[in-house]
Amino acid sequence: MARSQKLSKNVSRFSRSLVATAFLTTGMFQLVAPALADGAAPGTKIKNTATATYQDPNNLDETLNATSNTVEITIAEVAGVTVTANGTTFRTDTNGNGGNATTADGKINNGDVIYYNYTVKNVGNDPTKIRIPNQPPIQGNAVLEAVPDSASVNAAVQISDDGGVTWKAVNTGTFTTDSMVPGESVLVRVAVKVTGATSGNKISLQLGNTKSKNAQNIPLDDTPHDVYTVDNPDGATGETNGTPINGTREASATYEVTVDSTLKNYALATVLKTRTAHTRLNDPSDAANDGKPIHDTIDYELKLRVENDDPTGNNLNASALEGTTIQVDAETPAKKYILVSDAIPTGTELAAIPSNLPTDWEAVYTEDDVTGASAKKADKATWKRFSANPSVDLANVKRVGFIKTGIVNTGETVSGLKIQLKVTSTGNTVDVANIAQLFGASGSNPVYDESGDQTPSNYDSTNTKFPGTDSDADGLPDTLADGDVDDGHIDNPTTPTEGTDSGNNNQGTGDGGEANVISIGPAAAKAVLNGPEDLPAAASNGDNNKDFTNRSALTL
């Protein structure tokens, strides 16, 4: 008997050890995920502690707990840089005209000076400087042309850290930007003069000098004309001491134009809307509306894509999307923002303030009427930041929106603009239909788009035009009148006159945008069928409540 007791104790200890080891090996301890490091500054310390709860197989009433030693992880400094081409523009000629120097036809000719435009961005997690070359290579019949910067200093390469308001000369091959925080970018323009070219000649310019053209954020292969990160010295403001764990990084981008082609720059931007969830939330306390869609929530995600080529076939140079004048929080004067707007549909209200937004984006709302005599279109409405008005009554919100200063580059897609609606209609069936709108600019030209399709900037392929007034007949809108903009509200959700994105995938067709529609009926009666495996509705004598038989007692 004593031996038996001793064996029992050993088995118990062995079982505990074995179970704990199994938990460790299979990762069933509740570790703090390393993903918590996402967005953390270098030098940040993350502590992980593993815990486990298990039972002794020989004593199932006994709960055992275990806690591991604390493991501390320090986030490393990581360098990163990208270069994006933003199209080309004519340099204003010596007479102050906005067109090209040799003719007024808007085409690239010998003698014209063209700016090749780029955005250089710090995509690392620590402040860094970035080296900008002063002699980027040109392919084709053209040469670099030194022109005055904002301080009247001549240079072919110039940078701007205020969005293009002022420009600073890049005159040496060792030029570096000021320290840039993570996510910060500068604009770079390179002045090129066309010379000795014939019609159809291609002229390309590469900013940066990676072996593979347009490579982004790769290890530096030190050659002339590189664009690369330059680590700040230890002790500099915000700098993490030491060197980046991934070394020095470089990037490049190439852009090409054709001689004797019309040079038109325009942002080709597409706003996309997808319904991501519908959740039944019938309120048990609301007996009068039992089973109706009231209280249900509907989730949407909005995306913004800026094309890097021209899908319209109009020989446009795709360029970055810029902001347009939008009134926010009574700012005086009103500032320029990129705006993505969504009108609250009939029979619903905003369920929650949008959160977890992409970097540099802010959530806004307006209480201005959407329809009726006092209605204002989204681009003329007065918007307010949720951050400044967190106690706003969501039932009074008529439009929800997202704003950003600066630009969205060509080839970039912004995602994560999320909206949740709550059904307020007491109908047995509720049709919810809505459409998202985008407002921005491309230079002096307005940019406007609606969701539901893949066509950028609301381009009308039938009439080969963009919305707005084209006063100089160059194919691009000069102004966007109130009548050119829809109110963004679907007046008839059952059969929208705007058309329907029936697949909830932005594949609608037609002029303008197409509505995202969901029809919600009453909840189905809830029941549980309990029967044999794979046949829960099995019946006995026509009754599926008699499909089980108690074989251990007399059954009547």
Side-chain angles (χ1 to χ4, degrees):
M1 196 69 178
R3 180 177 298 178
S4 174
Q5 289 176 343
K6 183 177 181 181
L7 177 61
S8 175
K9 289 180 180 178
N10 287 340
V11 169
S12 176
R13 291 170 184 165
F14 174 75
S15 299
R16 296 181 193 186
S17 175
L18 183 61
V19 171
T21 303
F23 279 135
L24 283 169
T25 343
T26 57
M28 293 180 67
F29 282 106
Q30 299 303 304
L31 286 168
V32 180
L36 290 175
D38 185 29
T44 302
K45 297 184 183 300
I46 297 178
K47 295 181 178 180
N48 293 318
T49 303
T51 61
T53 300
Y54 58 98
Q55 291 177 316
D56 183 346
N58 293 321
N59 184 3
L60 297 180
D61 293 328
E62 181 181 2
T63 299
L64 304 173
N65 300 303
T67 303
S68 75
N69 295 331
T70 298
V71 177
E72 186 174 271
I73 301 171
T74 301
I75 302 301
E77 178 184 358
V78 178
V81 60
T82 58
V83 180
T84 306
N86 296 328
T88 51
T89 51
F90 284 114
R91 178 179 180 269
T92 303
D93 64 30
T94 54
N95 296 320
N97 299 318
N100 47 331
T102 57
T103 64
D105 62 2
K107 293 185 177 182
I108 301 171
N109 298 283
N110 287 313
D112 291 339
V113 177
I114 303 167
Y115 285 124
Y116 284 71
N117 303 300
Y118 301 86
T119 299
V120 178
K121 186 175 183 178
N122 174 14
V123 295
N125 67 353
D126 198 50
T128 189
K129 297 179 181 179
I130 297 177
R131 188 261 190 172
I132 307 295
N134 70 327
Q135 296 285 321
I138 303 172
Q139 297 292 328
N141 296 86
V143 294
L144 295 177
E145 179 78 356
V147 297
D149 68 359
S150 298
S152 299
V153 177
N154 288 334
V157 181
Q158 301 172 5
I159 71 164
S160 173
D161 55 13
D162 57 9
V165 177
T166 58
W167 294 91
K168 180 168 60 175
V170 176
N171 269 327
T172 67
T174 58
F175 181 93
T176 59
T177 66
D178 294 335
S179 181
M180 298 164 58
V181 299
E184 189 175 3
S185 59
V186 296
L187 302 180
V188 179
R189 68 183 186 185
V190 183
V192 171
K193 185 174 183 178
V194 181
T195 177
T198 58
S199 178
N201 284 169
K202 307 289 185 181
I203 302 172
S204 66
L205 185 140
Q206 183 179 9
L207 185 66
N209 192 24
T210 57
K211 285 185 177 180
S212 173
K213 287 185 178 181
N214 304 310
Q216 303 297 317
N217 195 22
I218 63 172
L220 174 65
D221 178 17
D222 196 3
T223 54
H225 317 306
D226 288 325
V227 172
Y228 58 83
T229 57
V230 178
D231 190 38
N232 288 316
D234 292 350
T237 303
E239 172 65 19
T240 301
N241 290 341
T243 57
I245 193 172
N246 59 341
T248 302
R249 314 294 284 183
E250 70 168 322
S252 74
T254 303
Y255 199 82
E256 182 179 84
V257 299
T258 303
V259 176
D260 199 25
S261 63
T262 302
L263 185 58
K264 296 179 184 177
N265 294 283
Y266 194 59
L268 299 157
T270 308
V271 61
L272 306 167
K273 182 188 187 89
T274 306
R275 188 174 63 253
T276 56
H278 164 226
T279 306
R280 290 280 187 183
L281 290 175
N282 190 49
D283 187 348
S285 66
D286 189 2
N289 292 303
D290 186 40
K292 295 180 180 180
I294 188 171
H295 311 304
D296 286 9
T297 60
I298 311 169
D299 294 88
Y300 300 90
E301 181 179 14
L302 308 181
K303 295 183 179 180
L304 166 59
R305 184 180 68 216
V306 179
E307 312 294 343
N308 57 10
D309 54 19
D310 177 17
T312 72
N314 283 319
N315 197 31
L316 300 175
N317 288 312
S319 61
L321 178 66
E322 305 166 41
T324 188
T325 302
I326 300 291
Q327 185 64 62
V328 180
D329 286 335
E331 292 171 338
T332 304
K335 297 180 181 179
K336 291 188 175 182
Y337 298 96
I338 296 168
L339 169 67
V340 176
S341 169
D342 204 335
I344 305 299
T346 300
T348 71
E349 66 181 42
L350 186 63
I353 295 175
S355 58
N356 299 321
L357 302 181
T359 303
D360 299 331
W361 287 83
E362 299 178 275
V364 293
Y365 69 94
T366 179
E367 296 173 308
D368 291 342
D369 287 334
V370 176
T371 59
S374 59
K376 292 183 179 179
K377 305 290 178 68
D379 58 331
K380 298 297 189 295
T382 299
W383 293 86
K384 302 176 183 179
R385 290 176 171 86
F386 281 108
S387 60
N389 303 276
S391 300
V392 60
D393 185 350
L394 298 184
N396 294 332
V397 172
K398 301 298 175 61
R399 282 190 175 94
V400 63
F402 305 93
I403 58 172
K404 170 186 167 61
T405 58
I407 65 173
V408 176
N409 282 316
T410 54
E412 184 177 348
T413 297
V414 176
S415 58
L417 305 174
K418 297 179 180 180
I419 298 170
Q420 185 180 73
L421 301 178
K422 178 174 66 176
V423 177
T424 57
S425 170
T426 58
N428 287 319
T429 299
V430 177
D431 295 304
V432 179
N434 52 0
I435 197 167
Q437 297 176 300
L438 164 70
F439 299 90
S442 181
S444 60
N445 303 112
V447 176
Y448 167 55
D449 190 53
E450 294 175 307
S451 64
D453 54 49
Q454 297 292 315
T455 305
S457 303
N458 264 18
Y459 179 69
D460 180 353
S461 58
T462 301
N463 298 303
T464 62
K465 65 185 296 290
F466 294 97
T469 302
D470 181 10
S471 58
D472 57 4
D474 66 348
L476 300 178
D478 303 309
T479 57
L480 198 61
D482 197 54
D484 298 319
V485 178
D486 192 78
D487 61 20
H489 186 268
I490 309 301
D491 298 322
N492 187 355
T494 54
T495 54
T497 57
E498 293 84 355
T500 303
D501 173 24
S502 58
N504 185 37
N505 56 3
N506 298 283
Q507 297 295 327
T509 57
D511 295 339
E514 293 75 38
N516 187 299
V517 181
I518 179 173
S519 183
I520 309 173
K526 297 179 180 178
V528 175
L529 287 173
N530 190 12
E533 184 177 1
D534 298 326
L535 290 170
S540 173
N541 297 323
D543 187 347
N544 65 13
N545 291 313
K546 296 180 180 179
D547 53 348
F548 280 91
T549 302
N550 188 343
R551 300 299 298 274
S552 63
L554 178 65
T555 304
L556 299 178

